[in-house]
Amino acid sequence: MAHLRVHEPLAGLDEPRRTELARVLVRGCPGVVAALRVERSAGLVAVTTGRLPTDDVTVGSLEPDQVTGGAHRVVGPGTLVCPWDTRPRTAAALLAAPRGLPDLLVRATAPGSALEGEARAVLAGATSPVHVLSSSWAVPLAWFALVDPGAVQLLETDGLRRPVWRVAMSDVRVRGARVLGTVAEHLGDTGTAAALGDVLRWLHRFPDGCAVELDYGGIGARLDDAALAQDRSCAVVHEVVGQLERGEGADVRDTLAPVLAFWARVRSWEHAS
């Protein structure tokens, strides 16, 4: 799974949520690998017991100096936190699960099941947006349009090495609006424009001062040095946007071809044994 996360200034959260998350931070947060393991276990427990996981001890944090930005950079004040919202995200994932999955999952989430009812109730009662979007076996190209190719960091924590971007929300909004306008003008109402518009609407539900983190997550564990060197996805997406702005739309398909082939290979690993 790859992830797009929003980190909010802790100081700007309402009570009692601010105190709850501050206590979690004081106790110490699990590393990325441990947190991902917790989430995987939570999903398995849900389908085997018919109960969604409780929320939420899995919280990420960033300091403002860990976040890059350009002319529009506004971050903070103070520590930024990202609750992983495991309970509502698990509910959404179970309801969206394709029917071609193992019988255990299909039975657990069948219409009328207790788990399906609980998942729908959780989502119906949600009053705030989840802080994490996830994508399996690929990073959506629309996510790359939100970040600066030059801001990438190759991080290694808990033995997991992966590319990560941590960018000021203010810059993401300006960049995303520009790209969406360009794509809509030159490509019309396409799937790419729709995906980018959905992400931007999600981001606009958060306040100023936030940070956006694009993290290859577990996909990074599947990429060796050669694959990482080959991966120019973010740079190519921005190159395509530049081509559209210059009226060179006829060249877009050829420019994107290596990136589409790269992610097709990554997706094929899902069915490898």
Side-chain angles (χ1 to χ4, degrees):
M1 303 290 286
H3 308 279
L4 192 68
R5 305 185 184 103
V6 172
H7 291 71
E8 286 192 71
L10 178 63
L13 297 178
D14 294 333
E15 293 290 2
R17 189 61 167 152
R18 181 169 67 239
T19 297
E20 292 171 353
L21 293 178
R23 287 172 178 165
V24 172
L25 294 179
V26 169
R27 289 199 306 265
C29 302
V32 172
V33 172
L36 292 173
R37 190 177 298 118
V38 167
E39 287 215 326
R40 286 196 299 271
S41 298
L44 290 172
V45 169
V47 297
T48 55
T49 66
R51 300 292 299 176
L52 289 173
T54 57
D55 233 2
D56 57 18
V57 296
T58 304
V59 178
S61 66
L62 293 174
E63 296 301 326
D65 61 5
Q66 295 177 279
V67 181
T68 62
H72 306 283
R73 184 185 187 280
V74 177
V75 181
T79 298
L80 310 170
V81 294
C82 174
W84 281 24
D85 303 316
T86 299
R87 182 175 172 84
R89 288 175 54 237
T90 301
L94 290 172
L95 292 177
R99 297 296 102 184
L101 291 174
D103 290 343
L104 175 65
L105 182 56
V106 173
R107 289 195 303 271
T109 58
S113 67
L115 184 56
E116 191 235 13
E118 184 182 8
R120 293 194 183 281
V122 166
L123 295 182
T127 58
S128 59
V130 296
H131 290 70
V132 184
L133 300 183
S134 299
S135 174
S136 60
W137 294 105
V139 178
L141 297 186
W143 292 6
F144 290 117
L146 302 173
V147 298
D148 177 2
V152 65
Q153 306 173 64
L154 189 61
L155 299 184
E156 182 167 355
T157 54
D158 307 314
L160 174 62
R161 183 183 57 167
R162 78 271 187 214
V164 175
W165 289 258
R166 292 167 172 170
V167 188
M169 173 75 84
S170 48
D171 287 303
V172 167
R173 285 175 174 157
V174 171
R175 185 181 294 112
R178 178 180 66 83
V179 173
L180 180 59
T182 297
V183 171
E185 177 183 355
H186 294 279
L187 300 182
D189 187 15
T190 63
T192 300
L196 184 56
D198 287 344
V199 173
L200 288 174
R201 282 189 289 274
W202 171 65
L203 293 175
H204 274 288
R205 297 182 66 185
F206 293 95
D208 294 333
C210 293
V212 178
E213 181 179 50
L214 195 170
D215 185 349
Y216 271 40
I219 292 178
R222 304 293 179 178
L223 302 178
D224 57 18
D225 289 340
L228 288 171
Q230 180 187 4
D231 178 25
R232 296 187 60 252
S233 301
C234 191
V236 168
V237 167
H238 285 268
E239 184 178 344
V240 165
V241 173
Q243 288 176 325
L244 292 175
E245 291 174 336
R246 296 190 298 271
E248 301 169 2
D251 300 329
V252 165
R253 186 179 298 273
D254 290 339
T255 303
L256 269 180
V259 172
L260 297 178
F262 175 85
W263 288 110
R265 287 194 298 274
V266 173
R267 282 191 294 270
S268 72
W269 299 338
E270 181 179 5
H271 304 287
S273 63

